[in-house]
Amino acid sequence: MCRTVDLHQAVLAKNDANAVELRRTLDDRGTTAVNLMSSPGSGKTALLEALLTRAVAAGAPAAAVTADLATENDATRLARSGAPVQQILTDGLCHLEAGMLGAKLAGWLPEGTRLLFVENVGNLVCPASYDLGETLRIALASVTEGEDKPVKYPAAFGLAHLVVITKTDLAEAAEFHREDFLGGVQQVNPGVPVIETSARTGAGVDELLAHVLRAADGSESHVPVLAQQHAQHLHHHDDAPSAEHSHAPAGTPR
């Protein structure tokens, strides 16, 4: 009897296996991986540079991997923090995969690294489907993008352990409707923490680093409802792959 297997599901299954292995490897090293996802222009790199700078100053060993379709501009920028940084060029691929990240970390990640920040490709669609072996998944959106981002991209925000608002210093000029944004976040991911930041003024950056450090210690434990539902779905349908299955990650980042 022939069985049709959706190619995308097969790709995700391979990625999930790589993610499980990478998570185990990072756990053994005492390293917490933080997956940062946003659309292009959200201010993700500027915020990450501020986070790395503070982590270095606080004596929290941190490193970063940044992914782009082309150029090493972001790696050059992040290196100003004093933290070890590597660039992944995806050659047109719109997301990172666990195998790509694991290959970049092999032989490079410094011993004793406590925090590994992974700046994903600027995109709120494809990256949401790929578990990178992270402990903490953060979805970011700037006030200049509008307050409806969470409901427009429910997988990206619904699978996040933390949501971060960026560029809050521009909120008034952008006529950002904060309560509408927060309402949308809770609609797709009930109970998820939200931190408001500005890389330019420094607002919220220390709070964000403290949250990441608590996650590294295991004291931040928000589990997205969407991730729970998807895990249950997979449990009941492991023997019947289908093209109609959700493109959410097969594994839930812990």
Side-chain angles (χ1 to χ4, degrees):
M1 177 197 249
C2 294
R3 186 178 72 175
T4 301
V5 178
D6 179 72
L7 179 59
H8 192 264
Q9 290 298 320
V11 170
L12 288 180
K14 179 179 179 181
N15 180 83
D16 293 334
N18 288 334
V20 167
E21 182 60 32
L22 180 55
R23 183 175 289 112
R24 183 181 299 117
T25 298
L26 292 173
D27 281 348
D28 289 345
R29 296 178 60 120
T31 300
T32 295
V34 182
N35 184 3
L36 303 172
M37 299 189 309
S38 76
S39 57
S42 68
K44 181 166 74 264
T45 305
L47 182 60
L48 180 52
E49 182 182 355
L51 276 173
L52 289 170
T53 300
R54 281 168 168 74
V56 169
V65 172
T66 181
D68 274 307
L69 277 67
T71 82
E72 296 193 0
N73 293 349
D74 286 353
T76 300
R77 183 175 177 181
L78 293 175
R80 299 186 305 202
S81 67
V85 177
Q86 285 283 295
Q87 178 85 47
I88 293 178
L89 298 179
T90 65
D91 193 26
L93 194 63
C94 64
H95 60 272
L96 270 180
E97 296 180 5
M100 299 164 61
L101 179 59
K104 178 59 69 171
L105 297 179
W108 169 73
L109 187 64
E111 288 296 328
T113 298
R114 185 180 182 194
L115 302 176
L116 172 65
F117 292 95
V118 182
E119 184 180 17
N120 219 315
V121 179
N123 184 343
L124 281 173
V125 182
C126 299
S129 297
Y130 288 84
D131 182 359
L132 299 182
E134 71 265 28
T135 294
L136 184 65
R137 176 176 289 202
I138 302 178
L140 304 93
S142 71
V143 299
T144 57
E145 296 174 76
E147 50 282 326
D148 59 353
K149 269 291 187 289
V151 293
K152 279 187 173 181
Y153 299 94
F157 287 90
L159 287 164
H161 301 100
L162 173 68
V163 172
V164 172
I165 304 174
T166 62
K167 303 185 181 181
T168 55
D169 53 299
L170 300 176
E172 184 175 356
E175 298 184 347
F176 177 67
H177 297 282
R178 177 177 178 274
E179 294 307 318
D180 289 346
F181 181 91
L182 295 177
V185 168
Q186 295 306 315
Q187 178 181 327
V188 300
N189 195 345
V192 67
V194 179
I195 296 178
E196 302 178 45
T197 67
S198 167
R200 188 176 70 84
T201 68
V205 180
D206 288 331
E207 181 185 356
L208 177 54
L209 179 59
H211 186 103
V212 172
L213 289 170
R214 288 196 299 272
D217 292 336
S219 55
E220 288 291 344
S221 57
H222 173 74
V223 179
V225 172
L226 183 59
Q228 297 178 57
Q229 293 173 344
H230 184 68
Q232 292 169 358
H233 175 76
L234 288 179
H235 176 74
H236 291 300
H237 296 275
D238 280 343
D239 295 328
S242 166
E244 296 178 354
H245 283 187
S246 166
H247 284 177
T252 302
R254 67 168 178 74

